[in-house]
Amino acid sequence: MRAELHEKNERLWVIAVSPAIWATHFVVSYATAAIWCAKVAGRDGSLSGARWAIFAYSVAALAAIALVGWNGWRAHGYRGGRIPHDADTPEDRHRLLGAATALLSGLSAIAVVYAASVIAFVRSCA
Amino acid sequence: MRPGPIDVEPLPKAPPEELRRAQEQRLMAAWETPKGLRYWSAVNNTQVGLWYSGLAFLFLLFGGVLALVMRVQLAVPGNDLLTAQQYNQFFTMHGTVMMFLFAVPIFEAFSILILPQLLGARDLPFPRLSAYGFWSFAIGGVFVCGSLFFGAAPAGGWFMYPPLTTAFQKGVGADIWLLGLSFIEVASIAAAVELIVGVLKTRPPGMRVNLIPLYAWYVLVVAVMILFAFPPLIAGDLLFELERTLHWPFFDAARGGDPLLWQHLFWIFGHPEVYIIFLPSIALMAMIVPTFAQRPLVGYGWIILSAVGTGFLSFGLWVHHMYATGLPGVSLGLFSAATEAVALPTGVQIFCFLATMLAGRVVRSVPLLFAFAGLFTFVIGGFTGVMVGLVPFDVQAHDTYFVVGHLHYVLIGGALFPVVAGLYYYWPIVRGRKLSDRLGRVAFWLMIVGFQVTFLPMHLTGLLGMPRRVFTYLPGLGFDRLNFVSSIGAFVLAAGIAVVVFDVVRPKRGEARCARNPWNAGTLEWLAEMPPDKPWGVRSIPEIDSRYPLWHQPNFLRDVDEGRFYLPDAEEGKRETLITTPVDARPVQCLRVPGNTFVAFWAAVFTGGVFIFATFHWWVATLASGVLAFVTILAWLWTGTAVVPEKPEKDVGLGLTLPLYQSGPRSVGWWALFITMIGDMTAFFSLVFGYFFYWTVHEEFPPKSATGPGVFWPALALALLAAAWLLTQLARGFNRRDRYVEYYGALVAGAVLAASGGAALVAAPLRTGLDPTAHVYPAIVWVLVVWTVAHVALGLVMQLYCAARRLAGRVSAVHDIDVANTALYWHFLAITFVTTIAVVAGFPLLA
């Protein structure tokens, strides 16, 4: 077994990183909009500053998710592995976690785009 | 210590017959279920899981009867079977019972029952904690339900919105809800901790993460969700009860509070709750579908995507219950986006099931029928969910019967039908006989037809404008016929459930016992022997090479039964199971699990007393019950946890010797504490969220008139508590190096510093004249301080406990579980006090 596949180097929580990026993006966007509307622009004010901020968060979040997802994708195809990754080997364990990471990154990216699409439609705090 | 091997080939020969009999006798003696009155002292998962599931089913029936009475009331316009007040209590209790006493507990109950079997473990790591959770659930549940018979039940709807429930409902109903359910929520978190550690640490050797049964993946996700979803509600309950009892104005707009904070905290819990209910039911399907398709589930990785993805996204939906509260459009948009996004992972798993059925050879059966009923119904509920997830539609449908129709499609399709499927599927493991196929089919048709007839018309009733939660309606508004049809349907559905109940309770003496693995399933729980009279779980703990060992590992059943695998014996007469690593499941410890006791029962009784007596403001009794609970739990910890074994390690079979004692991150107790503290942090940060929530709703926060808490006392508290934290960390090192004087000195000095730090923290709002009843600002500062000081008090007890344990010879340089856990607790405590002080003393300097 190659040293890199030793379980000490495998992190179970890596599969949750992309969803966690989505969650952070979501909370920070929500807080930015809430504080902007409550403290800066007022309830009928323009959303413009917050929209730019949310746009920037979205680009950053998508970039980070892409990175995590790419790593997962590479692990999924480790040494030519194919699904269902159900062999009793460290290789298949590594591939399965990679596949789950890649899939969850895809979902997280979609969810970030969904959230970001809000600023395309909503322009004021009303 | 190096983890053990996970691939042992070839297995040794079976031990001689005589030895096997002797091993079985010893296992039986260690795991025997007590008889007579002592039966109720059992803590084994098979007993506790059974009581827990049975009681949750009883609560289901109780909630169902309430629903039937409501349907009779609504069958015709102007009916007077129930008064408005009674009707309020009925719908409140119906929702409360179904959500808190059936849907969530049934998952925990069922997982406690089945998870060890599924993982080839003898028991979960903390059986007494499970028993404590069960007894808490039983006491709290009976208390909350009982209130209905005294006309004292809560009447504010299952989400208890203030100010209705704080300013306009004077009785004890809301207190019963708040305190009774807080108590049950604590039990839920206890179960979640148990299940997370169970999935991560008690898997059989070789069950790598890519081989875990999907049910266990779901259990892991759902238990983690409970850890983040329930604490905000506990925090909300705390604020709510402080307002009702001590008049601290958290939700009183006249004194700066805001009822919307309750809605936020409630729904941060309440929406994930729906998925906490739904995912375990889907998990049951993930076990049932492969069995009846006779092939592995298609899309294992996709199921993980579904489980984890839904788990995360479900936390971004809570405001969709609050679309009508006037939040800014951009906030609504964000939550609407997440609401639509969650449909993706939810749908993926359903496609996986369909693909599995298409790819396999389907065996018709009652469990599968109910699984289909669940999928069909849930998908319709999901579609209406996508509809109400859209703000413009929801504003129309909000608070109408459309939502009642939607939520019942989701919950009955997503929970009740799959649970009945699970009941039919797993009944042989519980009783050694199958339930009747014929009665099952009758029940299926009655339930599916009855359900549709009840709830489909409600969508129309709602679109026509009938609001929820009205005890009657006028004739001629177009509601009459639809309501009558719904009421008929409700009784057909109830008849179906009655058939299931009859099938379960009818005597089956003459009927054939079923064979082992009656459905020809592939997963470990079907190792169960028939009849199921072996309380030890598995005969020997197997080594796993595949996702469906009973299908794919040759001679598997024989090898397990002949005791060729691990721990085939209980030489010392103790209850034992294997602890493995989280990723590859390499064995690292032979864990002694505690045996039967009444201490968990008494601990639950006294803890329950605290909550129940507080409801009626019987403060002396509350205090007495609290002291008894404290003493009982301390006695439980002292005698039953971190026990030093008689020898350092033991031979567990297959040439493997494992330690009997592990501390720090290697011990299950450390993991459990870590996980519990994550839940605790979530509750704490919910309170911090409250502080900043008030900041956003007020022009001036802190208000100009605020006099405290100032900087001096909080800074002093910070210095003292930081020193206490440091000494606690040092104590661990002193203990390891056997430096007695320094060890005791650090702990005692740490305790003194903790006490002074706590006092200084209380002095901050006290000396600066913050009156918590005057305005929400002093109230939220006080609540953060009180929360922190309560945690400091617990930290102080732990410091003294560690000192006492070493004095008593129960802690040594090697055996230091207690000290390591105390050090870990103090890390979390440090986060708590630093945050509290930064917020209450630091933020006013910035704002």
Side-chain angles (χ1 to χ4, degrees), chain A residues 1 5-8 10-12 15-23 25-27 29-31 33-35 37-39 43 47 51 54 83-94 96-97 99-100 102-108 110-111 113-119 122 124-126, chain B residues 3 6-7 200 203 206-211 217 220 264 296 300-302 304-306 308-310 312-319 326-331 333-338 340-341 344-345 543-547 581-586 666 689 694-701:
Chain A
M1 187 180 72
L5 292 182
H6 194 280
E7 68 171 319
K8 278 201 163 45
E10 196 83 85
R11 300 281 176 263
L12 198 49
I15 63 171
V17 169
S18 286
I21 294 171
W22 163 81
H25 171 266
F26 185 82
V27 170
S29 299
Y30 171 60
I35 292 171
C37 292
K39 294 285 178 189
R43 273 312 300 269
L47 198 61
R51 286 173 72 205
I54 292 173
I83 54 167
H85 304 323
D86 62 350
D88 179 23
T89 59
E91 285 81 6
D92 257 11
R93 171 254 292 158
H94 185 64
L96 187 272
L97 287 177
L103 287 171
L104 280 160
S105 299
L107 176 68
S108 306
I110 295 172
V113 171
Y114 271 32
S117 68
V118 173
I119 54 168
V122 183
S124 87
C125 286
Chain B
I6 49 179
D7 282 308
L200 292 177
R203 301 207 305 273
M207 189 186 270
R208 304 172 192 270
V209 286
N210 61 324
L211 304 179
W217 267 108
L220 184 61
H264 279 293
Y300 186 93
W302 290 91
I304 299 176
L305 159 84
S306 285
V308 180
T310 313
F312 267 92
L313 290 177
S314 67
F315 280 86
L317 315 182
W318 82 85
V319 165
L327 293 174
V330 61
S331 306
L334 282 168
F335 283 91
S336 189
E340 303 306 324
L344 300 172
E543 196 201 285
I544 300 303
D545 310 323
S546 111
R547 285 179 190 160
T581 55
V583 173
D584 274 347
R586 289 168 183 272
R666 286 178 181 275
F689 168 77
Y694 291 124
W695 171 66
T696 60
V697 298
H698 285 279
E699 290 273 322
E700 290 274 332
F701 196 87

Side-chain angles (χ1 to χ4, degrees), chain B residues 145-471:
Chain B
C145 289
S147 65
L148 193 67
F149 300 102
F150 299 92
W158 85 281
F159 37 68
M160 282 289 126
Y161 281 170
L164 171 69
T165 44
T166 46
F168 299 97
Q169 296 189 334
K170 294 297 180 200
V172 292
D175 303 300
I176 288 173
W177 190 94
L178 287 161
L179 293 168
L181 294 183
S182 297
F183 181 43
I184 292 170
E185 285 148 22
V186 172
S188 286
I189 293 173
V193 171
E194 168 91 310
L195 295 174
I196 295 172
V197 181
V199 172
L200 292 177
K201 299 293 286 177
T202 61
R203 301 207 305 273
M207 189 186 270
R208 304 172 192 270
V209 286
N210 61 324
L211 304 179
I212 302 179
L214 288 166
Y215 187 85
W217 267 108
Y218 280 105
V219 166
L220 184 61
V221 170
V222 173
V224 172
M225 288 173 71
I226 289 179
L227 213 54
F228 287 101
F230 277 59
L233 182 59
I234 293 178
D237 287 350
L238 175 66
L239 300 182
F240 208 129
E241 202 46 47
L242 285 173
E243 170 149 354
R244 280 187 61 95
T245 312
L246 302 177
H247 311 291
W248 295 17
F250 296 107
F251 310 118
D252 177 8
R255 288 179 288 160
D258 191 335
L260 273 194
L261 178 63
W262 169 259
Q263 294 201 20
H264 279 293
L265 292 176
F266 184 87
W267 289 115
I268 291 173
F269 147 79
H271 202 86
E273 153 104 338
V274 174
Y275 290 89
I276 288 170
I277 290 167
F278 166 64
L279 289 180
S281 308
I282 278 282
L284 284 173
M285 289 197 219
M287 304 311 286
I288 292 171
V289 167
T291 296
F292 294 108
Q294 288 290 299
R295 58 151 294 140
L297 196 78
V298 175
Y300 186 93
W302 290 91
I303 292 279
I304 299 176
L305 159 84
S306 285
V308 180
T310 313
F312 267 92
L313 290 177
S314 67
F315 280 86
L317 315 182
W318 82 85
V319 165
H320 76 206
H321 298 269
M322 300 163 62
Y323 282 163
T325 57
L327 293 174
V330 61
S331 306
L332 303 187
L334 282 168
F335 283 91
S336 189
T339 304
E340 303 306 324
V342 83
L344 300 172
T346 309
V348 163
Q349 53 209 346
I350 294 172
F351 285 111
C352 290
F353 297 149
L354 295 178
T356 308
M357 305 291 286
L358 285 173
R361 294 165 57 84
V362 176
V363 182
R364 290 211 216 174
S365 70
V366 173
L368 201 57
L369 283 178
F370 278 103
F372 271 135
L375 283 183
F376 171 75
T377 310
F378 179 79
V379 167
I380 297 177
F383 285 148
T384 52
V386 170
M387 290 164 75
V388 287
L390 298 168
V391 181
F393 183 86
D394 182 72
V395 172
Q396 294 297 313
H398 185 79
D399 252 346
T400 70
Y401 261 81
F402 188 90
V403 176
V404 180
H406 157 71
L407 76 90
H408 284 91
Y409 267 84
V410 171
L411 290 174
I412 294 186
L416 183 62
F417 284 133
V419 164
V420 177
L423 176 72
Y424 273 85
Y425 183 62
Y426 280 120
W427 190 254
I429 288 190
V430 179
R431 279 289 174 260
R433 289 189 172 93
K434 283 187 187 178
L435 291 171
S436 156
D437 225 35
R438 205 158 52 94
L439 289 174
R441 278 173 213 279
V442 172
F444 164 76
W445 285 110
L446 286 171
M447 283 175 73
I448 186 86
V449 171
F451 173 82
Q452 310 296 335
V453 172
T454 313
F455 293 101
L456 195 64
M458 285 187 189
H459 296 94
L460 295 174
T461 331
L463 289 177
L464 287 172
M466 179 158 161
R468 302 167 71 171
R469 302 178 167 180
V470 288
F471 79 107

Side-chain angles (χ1 to χ4, degrees), chain B residues 651-674:
Chain B
D651 178 4
V652 295
L654 300 183
L656 182 64
T657 302
L658 291 176
L660 287 164
Y661 189 103
Q662 292 273 27
S663 73
R666 286 178 181 275
S667 85
V668 285
W670 189 92
W671 279 69
L673 180 66
F674 188 92

